[in-house]
Amino acid sequence: MKNLILIIMLLAVGMTAKAHVGSAGVQMQGQAGPYKVLVSVEPPDVIPGTAKITVFIENGIAKKVLARPIYFYSGDKGAPSPDELAQVAGQTGQFQGAVWLMEWGSSSAQIQVEGEQGKGELIVPIVAVSTAEREMPKHLGIGLSILGVLLFLLMITTIGASVSDGILRPGETLTFAQKRKRWVNMGIATVLCSVILYGGSSWWDSWAEEYKQWLYRPIQGNAAILENGDQRVFQLKIDTTGFHSQRRGSMLSTLIPDHGKLMHTFLVRTPGMDAFAHIHPERKDSTTFEAYLPKLPGGKYLVYSDIVQRSGFAETIVDTIDIPEQQAKSNPLQVTAEEDTYVVTDPIDSPGAVPLDENVVVCGKPGTKTVFKDGSYAVWEGKPDKPLDAGKPYQLTFEFFNPDGSACYPEPYLGMTGHVAVVRTDGSVYIHLHPTGTFAMAAEKSFKDRMADTATTVKAPAPAMFQDSIDRYLAKLKAMPMEEREVFLMTEMGMYDVKDGAMSGMDHGNRISFPYSFPKAGRYRIFLQLKRNAKVLTGVYDVKVKDAVTL
Amino acid sequence: METTMGPPPAIGGRVVPLHAAPDIPVYIYATVFASFCVITGLIWDICWHISIGRDGLLSPPHLVIYLGAVVAGLFSGYEILRKTFWGSDLEKAASVKIWGFFYSSLGSLFCVWGALAMLTSAPFDDWWHNTYGLDVTILSPPHTVLLLGMIGIQFGALISVIAVKNQLKLRLAHSFDKTKFWDKRLFWLFALSAGFLLTIWYTLLSESLGRMWMHHSSLYQCVGAGFPLFLMAIGKAVKHKWAITAATTVYTILMLMTLWIIPLFPAEPKLGPILNHIDHYQGFQFPLLLIIPAITIDLLRNRFGYLNDWKLTLLLGSAFIIVFSVFQWFFGSFLMESPYARNWFFGSHYWYFGNSPDWEYRYKFGPWLETTSELLQGLGIALIASLISTRIGLAWGNWMHKIQR
């Protein structure tokens, strides 16, 4: 028999209804003290609600795992005591439970691990928003209707009895006048109960309307290409229509940089997904962001722009754009950020058909070797052509080699060892991943800072001043030489130990893992970005994902 | 000695004396107990929400409420089936006939309706939470269905007791002393069931009856419109000098007992934001001083019982609201502002965990309350509301007094 919940139809969950396009879940890999853990969170699609949380202990022996929700607004001091997660039967080192998210907006789950190696903790940022609109399942509706009709009839009958035989002494029978009185009263009761039911249904309708106002509405942006001489400029204007009624107010003034950049924009040519760029538009004014375009071929592109608010609330702005061909090629093109990069590869439906140029790679599959333009290569651990299961947490693991086959240690790129962008062929799923997981690093930092702050409730910063301080910080960062900037960013994220002069927050080898769970079946393209010899390299892989278990 | 008799004559207009009828039926005790479970479960649930915050379908207070529903539903349902299929002709003659087939007492019908409504609310509520979010509002549509069901059960208990009490006059087999004994016992069952119903009615209105509103006319309008309706009906339903006082005493004792007992148990908030950290249950509210106007109107209706209902309305309706307003106003000042009210006895120090304990109006009336002229105007409306409520209550009480089955 089918599960009731599966029959509940999701009406309005379109491709842009989630903060992370199509990927509501959070996968995070990190250190909880001495324990290396992978945390998988399925947030509720209705707030208030419960997020399902699974913790995999990857090394060490944990005896007890606790979790509690921390809201940005009320911080550590205003959070409830933790609940113990239950050990999953038959799975060593796997714990499962729920955290209650009562507040709309930026939340987090604090995971505490206790075991033989002592104690450790970890904070997982969660974006808590309502995205689902449901219809009542048919048989529940029928069942409730039958009960409703029964209650209606029984109430009218009871009222009829109350004024007729209910007030007769035992043995007395109803006179004609009393019988008439009963019918009259039952008539009045019918009208009254109908009015009450009508009132109830109007009340319910108004409730549903009210709820709709609180459904998450993704930020809308309008992407455009400006011609600046022979250089193309990508521009994103954020549409603030309705910000006031949605209580978004001055949220654009509270944006914070996520590993050094205020906005990360990914451009993917559609439908072949054969051209890809990762650029970093800069803020021109509160609503306008611009970046020089690299030498992308012309065509229609999907646009995904990630931003993070001070509260840790991370969102993706989605649009499509037509990019015209580059007109003149004589001058070297300007770049907005040294880290801006692009790649051209073969279209997803015609492998191998790719014109060779300076920035071209051939698409790979799990288990195959993908050679970068400088001769180094990466291999995705996994069996080629073996589809992955939707909804199952995976470690997408890549190994990086020098052209001679020796292990290659990636250089930090925006404070991370690597970046991955996952895009479904129809554009309905997009996510920007890091070896630590699917969340914005800035959100995690925000929460750590918030927890260090002992104030019970957080005060909103002055918008103009806050925006100005962020702009100054970004200008300072941009002026730094690349190496210094990387060390600065990693230190800031707590991943670089100045004492040792090495990255401490994650394993630093030539093997890089990205935790992720594909939300639904389909074909996906994975863009892997690594840095070697101060150059960003992009590798492309295809994967098929099938529905996990069919009931 | 047992007396046997033939089937009752099927001729209209004749009364069948209840020879050898059993004493107070067990289901009467059961429904009054169910009514008690429903209201104490509800108050506990409110304390749970203001102290712990989150709950599940099978939280202890919910179980107490469900116990009430199950006891009321099973005993009343069984009574209906027993009377319909195995009932004697005498029992059938003392029942109401439903849909041309079932025989029941009026009280059992209300109880069954209430239990059915509570049953309906459960899947409805579950779906509601999946659709619009977990419990944040007391009065959502499914909660309203649940509350109507609870009120149905409590009203059913009251009606059942009244019917048996009214039938007592027909029980010829008992001696005078025995009748008097049963009458007394039935009066206490009546006072209990009326008090429990009054408490749930208070609970429903309680959001408008907080300490802060005791210096605002809205509280007096709410009380004026909401309570005489019920209290006057109680006074008319049975013949007893202290009927209204007894019901309000039950209300007062129940409220005080829960206020004093529930906070003895440990509880901690499990939902953020937690601005007021606590380690024991927070109590519900100190009862309204309804008992004082109740004594007044009991005295007045004993002294002026010969007046017709319209004159009684004018007398009792205005006496109720005036006496209540005077006492509650000054008692409100004490509860809100006096440090002597901030203890387990009066419970003014209890505070919701999501509210800041440093709020500047925690222990004083807000300056946003109304001006004197607005207050006087508002109290005028409260008086009119009290008169209308009183008149409806008297009519309702006349009906309850007539209930026989």
Side-chain angles (χ1 to χ4, degrees):
Chain A
M1 184 153 145
K2 283 186 178 174
N3 193 324
L4 262 185
I5 296 159
L6 286 178
I7 307 162
I8 295 175
M9 287 186 294
L10 295 175
L11 290 180
V13 188
M15 86 172 224
T16 56
K18 301 262 167 74
H20 284 119
V21 186
S23 306
V26 183
Q27 316 294 321
M28 181 181 199
Q29 182 156 48
Q31 284 296 132
Y35 309 93
K36 190 177 172 191
V37 295
L38 175 66
V39 183
S40 176
V41 181
E42 283 173 43
D45 55 8
V46 171
I47 301 296
T50 55
K52 191 176 154 200
I53 192 157
T54 312
V55 178
F56 305 88
I57 308 290
E58 298 189 349
N59 72 348
I61 295 163
K63 294 238 164 68
K64 204 173 177 186
V65 177
L66 304 160
R68 66 177 187 143
I70 296 180
Y71 316 102
F72 188 79
Y73 169 73
S74 50
D76 186 39
K77 303 284 168 216
S81 59
D83 291 318
E84 194 172 341
L85 302 186
Q87 188 144 16
V88 178
Q91 304 279 333
T92 31
Q94 192 174 331
F95 295 81
Q96 214 161 52
V99 288
W100 289 60
L101 300 174
M102 301 303 286
E103 303 257 295
W104 207 94
S106 188
S107 294
S108 67
Q110 184 190 42
I111 312 288
Q112 296 166 330
V113 184
E114 291 173 21
E116 285 177 1
Q117 284 83 4
K119 289 182 181 182
E121 65 176 53
L122 182 79
I123 187 106
V124 188
I126 305 169
V127 168
V129 288
S130 296
T131 56
E133 202 175 340
R134 295 194 172 93
E135 278 205 341
M136 190 172 277
K138 213 172 171 183
H139 39 270
L140 178 62
I142 293 171
L144 286 178
S145 304
I146 292 172
L147 283 166
V149 169
L150 192 61
L151 284 171
F152 187 83
L153 293 177
L154 193 55
M155 180 45 82
I156 289 163
T157 316
T158 308
I159 290 172
S162 299
V163 295
S164 56
D165 44 359
I167 52 177
L168 294 187
R169 290 186 173 188
E172 275 183 338
T173 51
L174 288 169
T175 62
F176 178 73
Q178 284 167 323
K179 278 183 184 160
R180 201 178 54 192
K181 190 180 171 193
R182 177 167 70 181
W183 284 111
V184 169
N185 275 284
M186 281 168 76
I188 296 169
T190 307
V191 174
L192 270 179
C193 287
S194 304
V195 169
I196 290 169
L197 278 182
Y198 177 75
S201 114
S202 311
W203 180 27
W204 186 345
D205 288 345
S206 73
W207 196 294
E209 276 305 306
E210 170 92 16
Y211 170 79
K212 270 186 202 155
Q213 292 192 345
W214 286 103
L215 269 181
Y216 173 72
R217 264 173 254 160
I219 298 189
Q220 301 296 316
N222 297 310
I225 300 295
L226 311 177
E227 299 281 348
N228 182 2
D230 55 1
Q231 173 101 42
R232 299 168 303 179
V233 175
F234 170 84
Q235 187 193 60
L236 185 74
K237 270 193 173 293
I238 294 173
D239 183 0
T240 56
T241 314
F243 264 35
H244 186 70
S245 63
Q246 291 166 41
R247 300 196 193 171
R248 282 183 178 271
S250 56
M251 65 148 281
L252 287 178
S253 301
T254 67
L255 298 184
I256 53 167
D258 189 14
H259 42 271
K261 301 293 176 189
L262 203 54
M263 178 180 278
H264 292 259
T265 293
F266 292 83
L267 301 168
V268 183
R269 185 153 77 166
T270 185
M273 317 195 88
D274 52 349
F276 164 89
H278 177 183
I279 57 174
H280 304 94
E282 289 177 348
R283 177 153 64 191
K284 296 294 161 193
D285 59 52
S286 294
T287 58
T288 314
F289 291 77
E290 285 178 7
Y292 289 120
L293 261 194
K295 221 179 86 188
L296 279 174
K300 190 179 182 189
Y301 283 75
L302 302 167
V303 179
Y304 301 97
S305 291
D306 291 337
I307 48 170
V308 185
Q309 281 179 57
R310 172 177 169 265
S311 65
F313 194 86
E315 292 178 271
T316 302
I317 303 164
V318 183
D319 199 9
T320 55
I321 190 174
D322 281 309
I323 296 182
E325 286 294 343
Q326 180 71 34
Q327 285 168 354
K329 290 179 186 170
S330 53
N331 298 330
L333 293 175
Q334 286 175 275
V335 289
T336 302
E338 284 178 276
E339 294 85 359
D340 287 3
T341 172
Y342 81 102
V343 75
V344 176
T345 184
D346 34 356
I348 195 157
D349 288 319
S350 46
V354 53
L356 287 173
D357 196 359
E358 54 170 313
N359 238 25
V360 165
V361 295
V362 175
C363 183
K365 284 184 165 13
T368 61
K369 171 170 140 180
T370 298
V371 183
F372 299 116
K373 60 180 179 181
D374 70 349
S376 63
Y377 59 92
V379 177
W380 177 5
E381 284 183 4
K383 293 200 170 107
D385 296 324
K386 194 177 174 240
L388 302 179
D389 289 337
K392 195 169 155 187
Y394 283 103
Q395 291 280 12
L396 311 178
T397 304
F398 302 89
E399 278 189 281
F400 191 24
F401 299 97
N402 288 311
D404 63 2
S406 62
C408 179
Y409 300 96
E411 292 162 18
Y413 162 35
L414 289 173
M416 307 294 302
T417 47
H419 298 245
V420 149
V422 179
V423 187
R424 195 169 181 266
T425 45
D426 64 352
S428 66
V429 176
Y430 149 83
I431 196 154
H432 177 186
L433 299 178
H434 299 116
T436 47
T438 61
F439 59 96
M441 298 293 293
E444 189 199 9
K445 188 170 182 305
S446 265
F447 265 102
K448 283 185 174 161
D449 294 348
R450 178 65 184 95
M451 286 170 66
D453 175 7
T454 53
T456 318
T457 50
V458 74
K459 283 196 174 65
M465 208 186 285
F466 189 80
Q467 187 172 337
D468 195 43
S469 71
I470 294 292
D471 286 344
R472 263 187 287 131
Y473 166 89
L474 287 167
K476 185 182 105 185
L477 212 58
K478 197 175 179 182
M480 285 180 187
M482 188 189 273
E483 262 183 55
E484 193 189 323
R485 178 164 63 233
E486 292 296 351
V487 170
F488 178 84
L489 285 174
M490 284 189 298
T491 312
E492 201 180 43
M493 287 189 273
M495 284 191 296
Y496 192 85
D497 196 339
V498 187
K499 218 168 43 208
D500 299 346
M503 282 198 257
S504 58
M506 61 187 79
D507 303 333
H508 192 208
N510 73 322
R511 208 161 162 266
I512 311 157
S513 295
F514 298 84
Y516 186 55
S517 163
F518 293 88
K520 59 180 176 181
R523 293 176 70 193
Y524 290 81
R525 196 155 253 206
I526 293 170
F527 300 92
L528 166 72
Q529 299 200 287
L530 301 166
K531 197 150 109 184
R532 180 174 178 267
N533 295 329
K535 288 257 182 305
V536 177
L537 305 168
T538 308
V540 187
Y541 296 87
D542 284 344
V543 64
K544 266 190 189 149
V545 176
K546 64 175 174 55
D547 276 325
V549 189
T550 41
L551 291 171
Chain B
M1 195 189 104
E2 226 175 60
T3 316
T4 51
M5 64 171 285
I11 317 152
R14 285 196 55 181
V15 176
V16 182
L18 299 178
H19 291 285
D23 298 330
I24 301 170
V26 177
Y27 82 88
I28 298 291
Y29 292 108
T31 50
V32 175
F33 172 72
S35 177
F36 173 72
C37 288
V38 161
I39 182 60
T40 44
L42 182 66
I43 294 179
W44 185 7
D45 196 47
I46 291 170
C47 294
W48 181 289
H49 278 277
I50 55 182
S51 314
I52 298 168
R54 72 178 203 208
D55 62 4
L57 194 66
L58 299 180
S59 72
H62 286 184
L63 290 178
V64 176
I65 297 174
Y66 300 150
L67 176 68
V70 168
V71 168
L74 285 184
F75 275 86
S76 305
Y78 173 74
E79 268 303 300
I80 293 174
L81 294 180
R82 191 188 62 77
K83 278 183 189 155
T84 303
F85 294 106
W86 304 284
S88 65
D89 291 337
L90 179 63
E91 278 177 323
K92 287 183 180 174
S95 300
V96 294
K97 201 173 181 186
I98 296 302
W99 299 337
F101 183 75
F102 292 103
Y103 289 92
S104 170
S105 70
L106 212 47
S108 296
L109 272 183
F110 278 105
C111 282
V112 165
W113 188 90
L116 202 61
M118 287 174 76
L119 185 76
T120 308
S121 79
F124 187 22
D125 198 39
D126 188 51
W127 177 82
W128 189 271
H129 289 164
N130 283 326
T131 307
Y132 301 114
L134 295 162
D135 273 328
V136 273
T137 323
I138 298 174
L139 280 184
S140 66
H143 285 184
T144 307
V145 175
L146 181 70
L147 271 168
L148 286 176
M150 289 158 79
I151 291 176
I153 283 177
Q154 295 200 296
F155 189 61
L158 179 68
I159 294 290
S160 299
V161 175
I162 291 175
V164 176
K165 194 168 183 316
N166 287 342
Q167 283 171 11
L168 202 62
K169 296 166 225 159
L170 308 171
R171 288 171 193 259
L172 306 178
H174 294 310
S175 65
F176 177 73
D177 281 350
K178 203 155 188 201
T179 308
K180 210 174 164 195
F181 171 75
W182 288 124
D183 191 53
K184 209 169 195 177
R185 177 166 285 198
L186 280 166
F187 175 72
W188 280 111
L189 285 172
F190 166 79
L192 286 172
S193 51
F196 299 153
L197 186 57
L198 174 63
T199 312
I200 209 167
W201 188 228
Y202 164 80
T203 308
L204 252 178
L205 303 175
S206 61
E207 279 187 39
S208 319
L209 304 175
R211 281 200 298 282
M212 180 61 88
W213 304 109
M214 288 177 188
H215 280 193
H216 193 277
S217 60
S218 66
L219 180 137
Y220 300 93
Q221 289 167 7
C222 182
V223 168
F227 290 105
L229 173 80
F230 184 70
L231 296 180
M232 304 303 165
I234 291 301
K236 279 267 185 180
V238 295
K239 288 220 182 306
H240 195 282
K241 198 176 172 187
W242 297 108
I244 303 173
T245 306
T248 47
T249 305
V250 169
Y251 153 81
T252 307
I253 292 173
L254 182 69
M255 289 290 292
L256 287 176
M257 283 300 144
T258 50
L259 180 73
W260 295 339
I261 293 171
I262 293 177
L264 294 176
F265 295 92
E268 63 157 330
K270 292 299 279 180
L271 288 179
I274 303 162
L275 306 183
N276 176 36
H277 288 270
I278 49 167
D279 55 7
H280 279 72
Y281 271 103
Q282 301 294 285
F284 191 39
Q285 300 167 6
F286 193 87
L288 291 177
L289 299 183
L290 290 173
I291 196 166
I292 298 170
I295 294 169
T296 315
I297 40 181
D298 270 342
L299 289 172
L300 284 173
R301 69 192 179 92
N302 287 319
R303 172 74 182 77
F304 298 100
Y306 56 86
L307 293 174
N308 73 30
D309 281 353
W310 291 103
K311 287 178 182 162
L312 268 183
T313 299
L314 207 60
L315 180 71
L316 301 183
S318 38
F320 171 82
I321 198 69
I322 291 166
V323 172
F324 175 79
S325 302
V326 169
F327 279 88
Q328 196 66 45
W329 180 279
F330 291 106
F331 190 60
S333 307
F334 170 76
L335 281 182
M336 191 72 185
E337 292 169 344
S338 169
Y340 298 111
R342 294 165 211 167
N343 47 46
W344 66 271
F345 190 90
F346 293 105
S348 287
H349 61 312
Y350 294 126
W351 195 243
Y352 179 57
F353 64 79
N355 290 346
S356 167
D358 300 326
W359 190 49
E360 59 179 310
Y361 298 110
R362 181 173 174 185
Y363 292 124
K364 68 177 181 185
F365 290 101
W368 57 82
L369 297 177
E370 56 204 343
T371 61
T372 312
S373 70
E374 283 169 339
L375 174 72
L376 290 174
Q377 215 175 346
L379 289 177
I381 296 171
L383 174 65
I384 295 166
S386 178
L387 292 176
I388 296 170
S389 180
T390 301
R391 185 63 192 91
I392 300 171
L394 291 174
W396 182 20
N398 288 337
W399 164 69
M400 286 208 285
H401 187 59
K402 284 191 241 165
I403 291 169
Q404 297 291 333
R405 300 189 182 190

